Short mmCIF file of all heavy atoms in Angstrom, two decimals:
data_model
loop_
_atom_site.label_atom_id
_atom_site.label_comp_id
_atom_site.label_asym_id
_atom_site.label_seq_id
_atom_site.Cartn_x
_atom_site.Cartn_y
_atom_site.Cartn_z
N ALA A 1 136.14 63.67 84.64
CA ALA A 1 135.90 62.60 83.68
C ALA A 1 134.41 62.29 83.62
O ALA A 1 133.72 62.38 84.65
CB ALA A 1 136.67 61.34 84.06
N PRO A 2 133.91 61.96 82.44
CA PRO A 2 132.50 61.59 82.35
C PRO A 2 132.23 60.28 83.07
O PRO A 2 133.08 59.38 83.08
CB PRO A 2 132.28 61.45 80.84
CG PRO A 2 133.62 61.11 80.28
CD PRO A 2 134.60 61.86 81.15
N VAL A 3 131.07 60.17 83.68
CA VAL A 3 130.65 58.91 84.32
C VAL A 3 130.04 58.05 83.22
O VAL A 3 128.94 58.33 82.74
CB VAL A 3 129.64 59.16 85.45
CG1 VAL A 3 129.18 57.83 86.04
CG2 VAL A 3 130.26 60.04 86.53
N LEU A 4 130.75 57.01 82.83
CA LEU A 4 130.33 56.18 81.70
C LEU A 4 129.56 54.96 82.17
O LEU A 4 129.85 54.38 83.22
CB LEU A 4 131.55 55.71 80.90
CG LEU A 4 132.47 56.79 80.35
CD1 LEU A 4 133.61 56.14 79.56
CD2 LEU A 4 131.72 57.78 79.47
N THR A 5 128.58 54.56 81.37
CA THR A 5 127.96 53.26 81.58
C THR A 5 128.95 52.19 81.12
O THR A 5 129.95 52.49 80.44
CB THR A 5 126.67 53.13 80.78
OG1 THR A 5 127.00 53.18 79.35
CG2 THR A 5 125.68 54.25 81.11
N LEU A 6 128.70 50.94 81.48
CA LEU A 6 129.60 49.88 81.05
C LEU A 6 129.65 49.81 79.53
O LEU A 6 130.73 49.62 78.95
CB LEU A 6 129.14 48.53 81.62
CG LEU A 6 129.98 47.32 81.24
CD1 LEU A 6 131.44 47.51 81.67
CD2 LEU A 6 129.42 46.06 81.88
N GLU A 7 128.51 50.01 78.89
CA GLU A 7 128.48 49.98 77.41
C GLU A 7 129.34 51.10 76.84
O GLU A 7 130.06 50.91 75.85
CB GLU A 7 127.04 50.10 76.92
CG GLU A 7 126.15 48.90 77.19
CD GLU A 7 125.71 48.81 78.65
OE1 GLU A 7 125.81 49.83 79.38
OE2 GLU A 7 125.27 47.72 79.07
N GLU A 8 129.29 52.27 77.45
CA GLU A 8 130.12 53.38 76.98
C GLU A 8 131.59 53.13 77.27
O GLU A 8 132.46 53.49 76.48
CB GLU A 8 129.67 54.68 77.65
CG GLU A 8 128.31 55.18 77.18
CD GLU A 8 127.85 56.39 77.97
OE1 GLU A 8 128.04 56.41 79.21
OE2 GLU A 8 127.27 57.30 77.36
N ALA A 9 131.89 52.50 78.40
CA ALA A 9 133.28 52.22 78.75
C ALA A 9 133.94 51.32 77.70
O ALA A 9 135.13 51.45 77.40
CB ALA A 9 133.35 51.57 80.13
N LEU A 10 133.15 50.41 77.15
CA LEU A 10 133.70 49.50 76.13
C LEU A 10 134.19 50.26 74.90
O LEU A 10 135.06 49.78 74.18
CB LEU A 10 132.64 48.48 75.72
CG LEU A 10 132.16 47.51 76.80
CD1 LEU A 10 131.02 46.66 76.28
CD2 LEU A 10 133.30 46.63 77.29
N GLU A 11 133.62 51.45 74.67
CA GLU A 11 133.98 52.24 73.50
C GLU A 11 134.89 53.42 73.85
O GLU A 11 135.21 54.23 72.98
CB GLU A 11 132.71 52.77 72.81
CG GLU A 11 131.78 51.67 72.32
CD GLU A 11 132.45 50.75 71.32
OE1 GLU A 11 133.26 51.24 70.50
OE2 GLU A 11 132.19 49.53 71.37
N ASN A 12 135.31 53.53 75.09
CA ASN A 12 136.14 54.65 75.51
C ASN A 12 137.50 54.61 74.83
O ASN A 12 138.14 53.57 74.74
CB ASN A 12 136.32 54.61 77.03
CG ASN A 12 137.22 55.72 77.53
OD1 ASN A 12 138.40 55.49 77.79
ND2 ASN A 12 136.70 56.92 77.67
N GLU A 13 137.94 55.76 74.35
CA GLU A 13 139.17 55.85 73.57
C GLU A 13 140.38 55.34 74.34
O GLU A 13 141.21 54.59 73.82
CB GLU A 13 139.39 57.31 73.16
CG GLU A 13 140.65 57.55 72.35
CD GLU A 13 140.85 59.01 72.00
OE1 GLU A 13 140.37 59.88 72.76
OE2 GLU A 13 141.49 59.29 70.97
N HIS A 14 140.49 55.73 75.60
CA HIS A 14 141.65 55.32 76.40
C HIS A 14 141.65 53.82 76.66
O HIS A 14 142.67 53.14 76.51
CB HIS A 14 141.65 56.08 77.74
CG HIS A 14 142.79 55.70 78.64
ND1 HIS A 14 144.08 56.15 78.45
CD2 HIS A 14 142.83 54.89 79.73
CE1 HIS A 14 144.86 55.63 79.38
NE2 HIS A 14 144.14 54.87 80.17
N LEU A 15 140.47 53.29 77.05
CA LEU A 15 140.39 51.87 77.35
C LEU A 15 140.59 51.02 76.10
O LEU A 15 141.18 49.93 76.17
CB LEU A 15 139.05 51.55 78.01
CG LEU A 15 138.76 52.29 79.33
CD1 LEU A 15 137.45 51.80 79.94
CD2 LEU A 15 139.91 52.12 80.32
N LYS A 16 140.11 51.52 74.97
CA LYS A 16 140.33 50.78 73.71
C LYS A 16 141.81 50.79 73.34
O LYS A 16 142.35 49.79 72.86
CB LYS A 16 139.48 51.39 72.60
CG LYS A 16 137.99 51.13 72.76
CD LYS A 16 137.17 51.72 71.63
CE LYS A 16 137.28 50.88 70.37
NZ LYS A 16 136.31 51.31 69.33
N ALA A 17 142.48 51.93 73.55
CA ALA A 17 143.90 52.02 73.22
C ALA A 17 144.72 51.05 74.07
O ALA A 17 145.71 50.47 73.61
CB ALA A 17 144.39 53.45 73.43
N ARG A 18 144.33 50.86 75.34
CA ARG A 18 145.05 49.94 76.22
C ARG A 18 144.59 48.50 76.08
O ARG A 18 145.23 47.59 76.60
CB ARG A 18 144.86 50.38 77.68
CG ARG A 18 145.70 51.57 78.07
CD ARG A 18 145.61 51.85 79.55
NE ARG A 18 145.97 50.71 80.39
CZ ARG A 18 147.23 50.35 80.66
NH1 ARG A 18 148.24 51.01 80.14
NH2 ARG A 18 147.48 49.32 81.46
N GLY A 19 143.44 48.29 75.41
CA GLY A 19 142.91 46.93 75.34
C GLY A 19 142.40 46.46 76.68
O GLY A 19 142.52 45.28 77.03
N THR A 20 141.81 47.38 77.45
CA THR A 20 141.31 47.03 78.78
C THR A 20 140.16 46.04 78.70
O THR A 20 140.00 45.19 79.57
CB THR A 20 140.87 48.31 79.52
OG1 THR A 20 142.01 49.18 79.64
CG2 THR A 20 140.32 48.00 80.90
N TYR A 21 139.36 46.16 77.66
CA TYR A 21 138.30 45.19 77.39
C TYR A 21 138.61 44.49 76.07
O TYR A 21 139.06 45.11 75.11
CB TYR A 21 136.93 45.87 77.32
CG TYR A 21 136.42 46.36 78.65
CD1 TYR A 21 136.51 47.70 79.00
CD2 TYR A 21 135.85 45.47 79.57
CE1 TYR A 21 136.06 48.15 80.24
CE2 TYR A 21 135.40 45.92 80.80
CZ TYR A 21 135.49 47.26 81.12
OH TYR A 21 135.04 47.68 82.34
N ILE A 22 138.36 43.19 76.04
CA ILE A 22 138.71 42.37 74.88
C ILE A 22 137.48 41.59 74.44
O ILE A 22 136.82 40.95 75.27
CB ILE A 22 139.84 41.39 75.21
CG1 ILE A 22 141.10 42.16 75.64
CG2 ILE A 22 140.15 40.48 74.03
CD1 ILE A 22 142.20 41.26 76.18
N ASP A 23 137.18 41.62 73.15
CA ASP A 23 136.09 40.81 72.62
C ASP A 23 136.61 39.39 72.42
O ASP A 23 137.55 39.15 71.67
CB ASP A 23 135.60 41.38 71.28
CG ASP A 23 134.37 40.65 70.76
OD1 ASP A 23 134.42 39.42 70.60
OD2 ASP A 23 133.35 41.31 70.51
N ASP A 24 136.01 38.46 73.14
CA ASP A 24 136.42 37.07 73.04
C ASP A 24 135.18 36.22 72.79
O ASP A 24 134.34 36.07 73.67
CB ASP A 24 137.12 36.61 74.33
CG ASP A 24 137.69 35.21 74.23
OD1 ASP A 24 138.77 35.05 73.64
OD2 ASP A 24 137.01 34.28 74.72
N ALA A 25 135.06 35.71 71.59
CA ALA A 25 133.91 34.89 71.19
C ALA A 25 132.58 35.61 71.44
O ALA A 25 131.60 35.01 71.87
CB ALA A 25 133.93 33.55 71.93
N GLY A 26 132.58 36.91 71.18
CA GLY A 26 131.34 37.68 71.31
C GLY A 26 131.08 38.24 72.68
O GLY A 26 130.14 39.01 72.87
N ALA A 27 131.89 37.87 73.67
CA ALA A 27 131.72 38.40 75.03
C ALA A 27 132.81 39.44 75.29
O ALA A 27 133.96 39.27 74.87
CB ALA A 27 131.82 37.28 76.06
N GLN A 28 132.42 40.52 75.97
CA GLN A 28 133.38 41.58 76.28
C GLN A 28 134.07 41.26 77.60
O GLN A 28 133.50 41.43 78.67
CB GLN A 28 132.65 42.93 76.35
CG GLN A 28 132.04 43.37 75.03
CD GLN A 28 133.08 43.60 73.95
OE1 GLN A 28 134.21 44.00 74.24
NE2 GLN A 28 132.72 43.33 72.70
N HIS A 29 135.30 40.79 77.50
CA HIS A 29 136.06 40.38 78.67
C HIS A 29 136.95 41.51 79.17
O HIS A 29 137.48 42.29 78.37
CB HIS A 29 136.96 39.18 78.34
CG HIS A 29 136.25 37.89 78.26
ND1 HIS A 29 136.38 36.90 79.22
CD2 HIS A 29 135.40 37.39 77.32
CE1 HIS A 29 135.64 35.86 78.88
NE2 HIS A 29 135.03 36.13 77.73
N CYS A 30 137.15 41.58 80.48
CA CYS A 30 138.21 42.42 81.02
C CYS A 30 139.53 41.74 80.71
O CYS A 30 139.66 40.52 80.78
CB CYS A 30 138.04 42.60 82.53
SG CYS A 30 137.82 41.04 83.43
N ALA A 31 140.52 42.53 80.34
CA ALA A 31 141.83 41.97 80.03
C ALA A 31 142.50 41.48 81.31
O ALA A 31 142.24 41.99 82.40
CB ALA A 31 142.70 43.03 79.37
N PRO A 32 143.36 40.47 81.23
CA PRO A 32 144.11 40.03 82.41
C PRO A 32 144.88 41.19 83.03
O PRO A 32 145.44 42.03 82.33
CB PRO A 32 145.06 38.97 81.85
CG PRO A 32 144.36 38.43 80.64
CD PRO A 32 143.66 39.62 80.05
N ALA A 33 144.90 41.24 84.34
CA ALA A 33 145.58 42.31 85.05
C ALA A 33 146.25 41.73 86.30
O ALA A 33 145.75 40.78 86.88
CB ALA A 33 144.58 43.40 85.45
N PRO A 34 147.39 42.29 86.71
CA PRO A 34 148.12 43.37 86.06
C PRO A 34 148.87 42.88 84.83
O PRO A 34 148.80 41.70 84.50
CB PRO A 34 149.08 43.83 87.16
CG PRO A 34 149.36 42.58 87.94
CD PRO A 34 148.05 41.85 87.96
N ARG A 35 149.61 43.77 84.19
CA ARG A 35 150.30 43.44 82.95
C ARG A 35 151.78 43.19 83.19
O ARG A 35 152.41 43.90 83.96
CB ARG A 35 150.09 44.57 81.94
CG ARG A 35 148.61 44.85 81.73
CD ARG A 35 148.35 45.85 80.65
NE ARG A 35 146.91 46.11 80.55
CZ ARG A 35 146.32 46.65 79.51
NH1 ARG A 35 147.05 47.01 78.46
NH2 ARG A 35 145.01 46.84 79.50
N PHE A 36 152.28 42.18 82.52
CA PHE A 36 153.68 41.79 82.68
C PHE A 36 154.43 42.00 81.37
O PHE A 36 153.90 41.70 80.29
CB PHE A 36 153.78 40.32 83.09
CG PHE A 36 153.21 40.03 84.47
CD1 PHE A 36 151.85 39.93 84.67
CD2 PHE A 36 154.06 39.85 85.54
CE1 PHE A 36 151.33 39.67 85.93
CE2 PHE A 36 153.56 39.59 86.81
CZ PHE A 36 152.18 39.49 87.00
N SER A 37 155.67 42.45 81.45
CA SER A 37 156.43 42.74 80.24
C SER A 37 156.91 41.47 79.54
O SER A 37 156.97 41.42 78.31
CB SER A 37 157.64 43.62 80.57
OG SER A 37 158.52 42.95 81.46
N ARG A 38 157.23 40.44 80.32
CA ARG A 38 157.82 39.23 79.74
C ARG A 38 156.86 38.05 79.70
O ARG A 38 156.93 37.22 78.79
CB ARG A 38 159.09 38.86 80.53
CG ARG A 38 159.89 37.72 79.93
CD ARG A 38 161.21 37.52 80.67
NE ARG A 38 161.02 37.35 82.10
CZ ARG A 38 160.67 36.18 82.67
NH1 ARG A 38 160.46 35.12 81.92
NH2 ARG A 38 160.53 36.11 83.97
N THR A 39 155.99 37.95 80.68
CA THR A 39 155.06 36.81 80.75
C THR A 39 153.62 37.33 80.85
O THR A 39 152.99 37.21 81.91
CB THR A 39 155.38 35.92 81.95
OG1 THR A 39 155.33 36.72 83.15
CG2 THR A 39 156.76 35.30 81.82
N PRO A 40 153.10 37.90 79.79
CA PRO A 40 151.76 38.50 79.88
C PRO A 40 150.68 37.46 80.13
O PRO A 40 150.81 36.29 79.76
CB PRO A 40 151.59 39.14 78.50
CG PRO A 40 152.48 38.35 77.58
CD PRO A 40 153.67 37.99 78.44
N GLY A 41 149.60 37.91 80.80
CA GLY A 41 148.45 37.05 81.01
C GLY A 41 147.69 36.80 79.72
O GLY A 41 147.92 37.45 78.70
N LYS A 42 146.77 35.86 79.79
CA LYS A 42 146.04 35.48 78.58
C LYS A 42 144.66 34.97 78.98
O LYS A 42 144.52 34.25 79.97
CB LYS A 42 146.81 34.38 77.83
CG LYS A 42 146.12 33.88 76.58
CD LYS A 42 146.95 32.76 75.93
CE LYS A 42 146.27 32.21 74.69
NZ LYS A 42 147.04 31.10 74.09
N ILE A 43 143.65 35.37 78.22
CA ILE A 43 142.31 34.83 78.43
C ILE A 43 142.26 33.42 77.87
O ILE A 43 142.57 33.19 76.69
CB ILE A 43 141.25 35.71 77.74
CG1 ILE A 43 141.17 37.08 78.43
CG2 ILE A 43 139.88 35.03 77.75
CD1 ILE A 43 140.24 38.04 77.75
N ARG A 44 141.90 32.48 78.72
CA ARG A 44 141.86 31.08 78.31
C ARG A 44 140.42 30.58 78.38
O ARG A 44 139.65 31.00 79.23
CB ARG A 44 142.76 30.24 79.22
CG ARG A 44 144.23 30.60 79.09
CD ARG A 44 145.08 29.94 80.16
NE ARG A 44 146.50 30.12 79.91
CZ ARG A 44 147.18 31.23 80.20
NH1 ARG A 44 146.55 32.25 80.77
NH2 ARG A 44 148.47 31.33 79.93
N PRO A 45 140.06 29.65 77.51
CA PRO A 45 138.69 29.14 77.51
C PRO A 45 138.43 28.20 78.67
O PRO A 45 139.37 27.73 79.34
CB PRO A 45 138.59 28.39 76.17
CG PRO A 45 140.00 27.92 75.92
CD PRO A 45 140.88 29.02 76.44
N THR A 46 137.19 27.92 78.93
CA THR A 46 136.80 26.90 79.91
C THR A 46 136.70 25.56 79.18
O THR A 46 136.04 25.46 78.14
CB THR A 46 135.45 27.26 80.55
OG1 THR A 46 135.60 28.51 81.23
CG2 THR A 46 135.02 26.19 81.55
N LEU A 47 137.36 24.54 79.73
CA LEU A 47 137.47 23.27 79.04
C LEU A 47 137.03 22.12 79.93
O LEU A 47 136.98 22.25 81.16
CB LEU A 47 138.92 23.03 78.59
CG LEU A 47 139.55 24.09 77.68
CD1 LEU A 47 141.04 23.84 77.55
CD2 LEU A 47 138.87 24.10 76.32
#
């Protein structure tokens, strides 16, 4: 596998297909992990 920079990882075909990184208000967030079939995680704002 190619050794990707973080910037390249954001554009990687596999990671994009899985939604491993998520654009949230202009910031590239890691998706919640692990993944649940019935009660999935969610990125929540700071309040």
Side-chain angles (χ1 to χ4, degrees):
V3 177
L4 303 181
T5 64
L6 180 57
E7 291 75 17
E8 290 174 319
L10 296 174
E11 300 301 323
N12 177 260
E13 180 182 28
H14 179 77
L15 300 185
K16 290 181 76 170
R18 283 187 56 80
T20 300
Y21 289 101
I22 300 172
D23 186 305
D24 186 80
Q28 296 297 328
H29 283 252
C30 51
R35 304 186 182 198
F36 294 78
S37 62
R38 187 173 54 81
T39 57
K42 179 182 179 182
I43 293 175
R44 295 170 171 80
T46 298
L47 302 170

